Amino acid sequence: MADRSQKKSCGQIMNEFGEFMWNPRTREFMGRTASSWALIVTFYVAFYAFLTGMFALSMWVMLQTIDEYTPKYGDRLPSPGMMIRPKTDTLEIVYNINDASNSGWGGYVAKLNSALEMYNDSVQVQQGSVCNPGVFNRQEDTGDVRNYPKKACQFLRSSLGNCSGLSDPTYGYKDGSPCVLVKMNRIINFLPEVIPSLSNSSITINCMGKSTDIELMLGSRSYYPSDGTDLGTMDLMYFPYYGNRAQKNYTQPLVAVQFHNVSRNQDLYVECRANAGNIKSDNERDKFSGRVTFKLRINN
């Protein structure tokens, strides 16, 4: 055990620390001379400057391979997904026909009004363009000359007929004939293939019960827009989509389906599908690829 008399006093410790910080005899600061510190600082400045330059060069090279308007890779989405409006967390449209409050069918009406604001005819006429129906709205670049901004075709709210909310502000919910809007998710440069037996100018949408019994209880359906068949249609002129940066005013085409004579107090599971040659709607791993399923229940 060390002798207590050999322990350094507080003053000695402070003197040694002060000498470590600055030694006037050797002119060293924290154990190093000015030249030694200069060499160390110069090394680390050069080292981190090199790393910064390498990082900046790598980022510059990477950015040269990226198109600011189009994603480099898009193979993760071979088929567009589908969704419905009014938007719900559980994909369920359940209401009491006598409840017009926001917790009843009034809430669905408010959501539909919000979803269709951008489709008002006045907005579409101002922001959109009149396009040729039945053909793709191709707007390719010419060499290095960018064809931007690209025009977006008008989709008028009035084309949704009885489901536009214009003639019937309740979208049929008050009368037990609710309207549901079906939309496809956007995929840049996606070109759907028509099925000639269904339509030569549009991809079609149909909604059916998940079983034969449910199909019977769903009653009849009306689609808007439609080409006169029992199917909804999305005209080819709304494709391809070029991305939000290149086609800022683009609005997705919609199909509205109105259910008539729906059986009351029953859980009815409905599946809506997009019919196109290159849209896969039978993938059991992806329940939203080319289709969407939701529950419809109308209580008395």
Side-chain angles (χ1 to χ4, degrees), residues 1-233:
M1 184 174 179
D3 190 347
R4 290 178 180 271
S5 62
Q6 296 180 353
K7 295 182 66 173
K8 297 180 179 178
S9 66
C10 181
Q12 290 176 317
I13 293 175
M14 293 303 295
N15 289 334
E16 290 180 356
F17 178 75
E19 188 173 342
F20 167 73
M21 293 298 296
W22 172 249
N23 190 328
R25 292 179 285 102
T26 59
R27 304 187 66 81
E28 293 178 348
F29 174 71
M30 296 182 67
R32 292 185 179 275
T33 61
S35 59
S36 177
W37 278 115
L39 290 174
I40 290 176
V41 170
T42 301
F43 169 78
Y44 280 106
V45 167
F47 177 68
Y48 285 111
F50 173 77
L51 291 182
T52 301
M54 284 293 293
F55 176 76
L57 178 62
S58 300
M59 290 295 294
W60 181 82
V61 171
M62 182 189 69
L63 290 173
Q64 302 314 300
T65 67
I66 297 178
D67 190 322
E68 61 177 319
Y69 293 98
T70 307
K72 187 174 179 64
Y73 298 107
D75 56 347
R76 294 186 63 184
L77 295 171
S79 293
M82 296 183 67
M83 280 300 295
I84 64 168
R85 295 292 184 270
K87 184 178 181 180
T88 63
D89 294 333
T90 56
L91 288 178
E92 294 182 356
I93 299 176
V94 180
Y95 70 94
N96 189 304
I97 198 169
N98 299 313
D99 185 4
S101 66
N102 282 335
S103 59
W105 57 262
Y108 296 124
V109 169
K111 290 179 179 179
L112 287 172
N113 285 332
S114 177
L116 289 176
E117 281 184 1
M118 68 181 70
Y119 292 92
N120 285 333
D121 290 13
S122 57
V123 176
Q124 289 294 309
V125 169
Q126 181 181 6
Q127 297 184 354
S129 301
V130 176
C131 301
N132 296 322
V135 294
F136 290 123
N137 182 29
R138 297 179 186 270
Q139 301 173 71
E140 306 297 341
D141 299 331
T142 305
D144 294 332
V145 180
R146 299 280 193 178
N147 182 19
Y148 297 136
K150 299 181 183 295
K151 67 179 181 179
C153 298
Q154 297 177 1
F155 187 94
L156 303 179
R157 181 172 180 170
S158 57
S159 67
L160 297 177
N162 292 339
C163 291
S164 65
L166 301 176
S167 58
D168 179 8
T170 69
Y171 300 92
Y173 282 80
K174 179 181 179 181
D175 303 322
S177 300
C179 290
V180 177
L181 305 180
V182 181
K183 72 180 188 71
M184 288 199 314
N185 295 337
R186 305 173 184 184
I187 296 182
I188 293 178
N189 292 327
F190 176 72
L191 297 173
E193 299 174 1
V194 299
I195 299 177
S197 60
L198 300 178
S199 175
N200 290 316
S201 60
S202 307
I203 62 173
T204 58
I205 304 291
N206 68 303
C207 299
M208 300 182 67
K210 288 285 286 181
S211 68
T212 303
D213 293 339
I214 292 177
E215 175 65 19
L216 293 174
M217 289 187 287
L218 275 177
S220 60
R221 272 136 280 172
S222 299
Y223 293 93
Y224 310 95
S226 177
D227 57 3
T229 63
D230 294 331
L231 298 171
T233 57

